[in-house]
Structures are given as structure tokens and as C-alpha cells.
Amino acid sequence: MSTAPEHEAVLSDGPLTPQDIAVYRQFLEVSPDTDEAAERLGIPPARFAESVARLTARRLLSPDGPYRHEALSPGLAALALTTSAHVQVHELMRRIDSTRRELGPLGALYEGHVRRELEGTGTELLTDGAAVRHRFAELSAQVRRSVLTVHPTLGSPETLHAARELDRDLLARGVRYRTVLPHTARRQREALHHMTLLGGLGAQVRTAAVVPGRLVLLDGETAVVPAGAGGAAVLRDPTVVSFLTVIFDHIWEHAEPVGAGGEGDHVFEDVEAALLRHLAHGRSDDFIARRLGISTRTMRRYLAGLCEKLGVETRFQLGVAAERLGLLGDPREPDRDG
């Protein structure tokens, strides 16, 4: 029958008490006589005997005659009590090391399997604009069926020209191309020219009052979304791509087609309504401008036009007038512009 290690049995009765330490000090510094030590400390015999037993079990006291005890070195006592524990720890560490050496080589095999399982469904991170453009050109060359894009803003004329070259190649290969831009693009000369050219090449172009973020979906299998400052993430997980496709479809269904002239007065009413809703929620000019895909200066021009249209002078008065006219919608509805 196995027994508990000696050090575990010693510690099972709890740590040394202040009384135990006082008893040890008495034997060490004053007298090895048991009766004298108990009398000097004024401890009842039963409790004194308990302390002597605990100190003896810890090898801090050793009987030295019928009524005497010798105080021993705590260091030697600790060594004697923990030798078996050190042996056990050494054996445990040996077994841990042996297990690691035995199973370690299998780690590379498992990781390789995981990488192969994730191949085609992982995430690829691109950290800067140059890497994004290069990778997007590679991905575009592989597209065979469809491209779905959402752009809250458009770049410089040079950027638009480079993008059209890729788009032209896609459409020439018979790829179905749909894109959503903000309503405000209809009043930006370069953006309007870009949308008109895309439509002429066979793309379907729509605009929306609020475009929540940039999204590109390729063949229903790959998604490209922003990641960090100027970077992007290429996603291939089928569940994620399917979910993002649902989001695109929702945006597309609520967007307005761009006709031959690229104009439509009612879309600017949508822009103004979105601007008013943002103001009602206390959002900053910079936030609103980003959501509407325009500069802060242009956003403030819209704001000035709304003030003039409603005959008010301040933003507070504009909010009051908009609410009175029912331009903010039902306040009980969830905030769909946030």
C-alpha cells in the first residue's frame, strides 16, 4: 500500500503557528528543557505538546533525553523533507522532456495538414496600397463570372483611369460587373465620367445615399475588404464571402440606377435626408462626409443649401425644422446610417 510523501504528511496539519515559532526559539536560545520552556512561555501542556509534535515532524526539534529537545537547522530540515520531492520533480521533468521529444516531430506534420485544409479558405493580409493594387490586378486576371463592388469614395483621375483598364478587360471577357457608388458621385465630374464609361462598357452602375464601406466580391468566392491604413484583407472562407454577398445584395436593392445622363434630382434628396439623420444623431462633419463619400467642404455646402431651403440659420434650427417636416423618418426605427 502506497503512502503519501513525507513532506506532504508534514504539511497536512497546516503551517507553523506563532506559538510553534516561539517554542522553537525557546529551545534554541534559552533551554533544551521541556518543562522549563513550557513554564517560561506560559503555554498549557496540551498545546505545548502539539507545538513540539509539529516541530519534531518538521525535523526542527529532536528528542535529546527524557525531557529535553535539541533545536536543529531549518536548512537541513528542509533538505531532508524535500529530497524525495526533488527526486519526483526530476523524474517528472524527464518524462515531460521525453514526451516533447517523442511528439515534437509530429507538430510539423499536423501544421502542414492544417495549412492544406485551410488552403483556399484562409485570409491574406496586404499591408500597403502598392501590395493591394498588385494583388488586385492578379485577382482580376483570374475572374471568370462576376465582380461586385461597393466604393464609398473614388480616387484620383489617375487611379480611376487605372481601374477602368482592369474593368475594361473584365467586361471584355464577359464578366458580369455591378458596382455601387455614393449619390454624391453624380455631381463630381471625374466620378460621373467614370460611371458613364463603365455603363458604356456594359457594367451596371448604381448609387446610394449612404455607402457603409469598401467591398469587392470576385466570382462569389473571394472578398477584398479594407484592413488597416491603406491595407486590405483577401478573404476566401465560403461562409464569410456568402454573408458579404448578402450585404452587397441589400445595398444594391436600395441603390438607384445611373442612367445615360447620370443625373436624378431625387437622389440628392436622399443625400440630404441622410445628412439630416446624421446631424440628428450628433455625428461630426468628418464622419458624415466619409459616410456620404464627399469632402468635408462639400458636406458643409450641402448643409448650407439645406439651411437656405428650409429658411433657417443654425444647425439646431435645421434639426427642429427637419423634424417638424418629418424629414428625419420614424425615430423608433433603428439607425441605419450609423
Side-chain angles (χ1 to χ4, degrees):
M1 181 175 66
S2 63
T3 59
E6 187 174 8
H7 70 283
E8 291 183 8
V10 166
L11 296 178
S12 65
D13 60 353
L16 293 175
T17 66
Q19 175 184 296
D20 299 336
I21 295 171
V23 171
Y24 175 78
R25 181 182 288 114
Q26 186 70 21
F27 280 119
L28 177 67
E29 299 177 354
V30 180
S31 172
D33 185 271
T34 301
D35 291 338
E36 182 181 348
E39 183 179 352
R40 281 179 175 273
L41 293 172
I43 300 174
R47 290 179 55 197
F48 185 84
E50 290 174 359
S51 287
V52 170
R54 279 194 292 270
L55 292 167
T56 302
R58 286 168 172 77
R59 302 191 184 186
L60 291 169
L61 291 181
S62 175
D64 186 25
Y67 300 103
R68 295 170 64 86
H69 282 81
E70 179 186 5
L72 303 177
S73 164
L76 292 177
L79 181 62
L81 291 172
T82 58
T83 296
S84 62
H86 281 293
V87 172
Q88 293 176 32
V89 169
H90 178 74
E91 174 61 19
L92 183 60
M93 293 302 296
R94 187 194 66 77
R95 289 168 57 187
I96 291 173
D97 186 58
S98 174
T99 301
R100 286 176 173 169
R101 287 199 306 270
E102 179 183 13
L103 301 184
L106 300 179
L109 181 64
Y110 178 79
E111 290 300 325
H113 169 74
V114 171
R115 283 195 296 271
R116 287 191 294 274
E117 287 290 308
L118 291 176
E119 191 172 308
T121 63
T123 299
E124 176 185 355
L125 291 177
L126 308 171
T127 58
D128 58 68
V132 172
R133 290 189 293 272
H134 178 74
R135 190 70 179 106
F136 192 73
E138 293 179 337
L139 293 171
S140 296
Q142 300 169 18
V143 174
R144 293 294 176 266
R145 298 186 304 277
S146 66
V147 171
L148 312 176
T149 72
V150 178
H151 296 289
T153 59
L154 292 174
S156 64
E158 294 77 15
T159 301
L160 291 178
H161 178 74
R164 279 197 299 272
E165 292 304 311
L166 292 176
D167 298 339
R168 192 187 307 274
D169 177 66
L170 288 166
L171 291 162
R173 300 203 310 265
V175 172
R176 186 187 181 197
Y177 192 114
R178 291 188 288 167
T179 187
V180 181
L181 302 167
H183 281 336
T184 50
R186 296 173 183 252
R187 288 187 176 174
Q188 299 171 17
R189 185 172 59 84
E190 288 295 335
L192 181 58
H193 178 62
H194 177 74
M195 291 189 295
T196 303
L197 286 178
L198 280 181
L201 292 170
Q204 294 176 274
V205 184
R206 294 187 179 185
T207 63
V210 177
V211 177
R214 198 172 304 278
L215 171 64
V216 177
L217 295 161
L218 307 174
D219 280 342
E221 299 173 352
T222 304
V224 182
V225 298
V234 181
L235 311 174
R236 297 184 180 84
D237 185 279
T239 302
V240 174
V241 174
S242 177
F243 177 72
L244 293 174
T245 302
V246 171
I247 292 176
F248 174 86
D249 289 340
H250 177 79
I251 296 171
W252 180 260
E253 290 301 320
H254 291 80
E256 296 284 344
V258 175
E263 291 293 344
D265 290 339
H266 64 286
V267 301
F268 297 105
E269 295 174 3
D270 291 344
V271 172
E272 293 169 345
L275 192 155
L276 287 171
R277 288 194 297 270
H278 282 304
L279 288 175
H281 284 89
R283 298 186 176 115
S284 68
D285 290 0
D286 288 341
F287 179 95
I288 298 172
R290 285 196 303 272
R291 279 307 180 95
L292 297 181
I294 55 179
S295 68
T296 304
R297 179 179 299 179
T298 301
M299 190 282 296
R300 288 170 181 161
R301 284 204 297 269
Y302 276 109
L303 187 61
L306 280 169
C307 287
E308 182 178 356
K309 184 183 294 186
L310 298 181
V312 298
E313 296 181 355
T314 67
R315 293 189 181 204
F316 176 76
Q317 292 172 341
L318 179 62
V320 172
E323 185 174 10
R324 186 178 66 250
L325 295 172
L327 300 178
L328 300 180
D330 188 343
R332 294 171 296 182
E333 291 183 356
D335 177 17
R336 62 180 184 273
D337 300 320

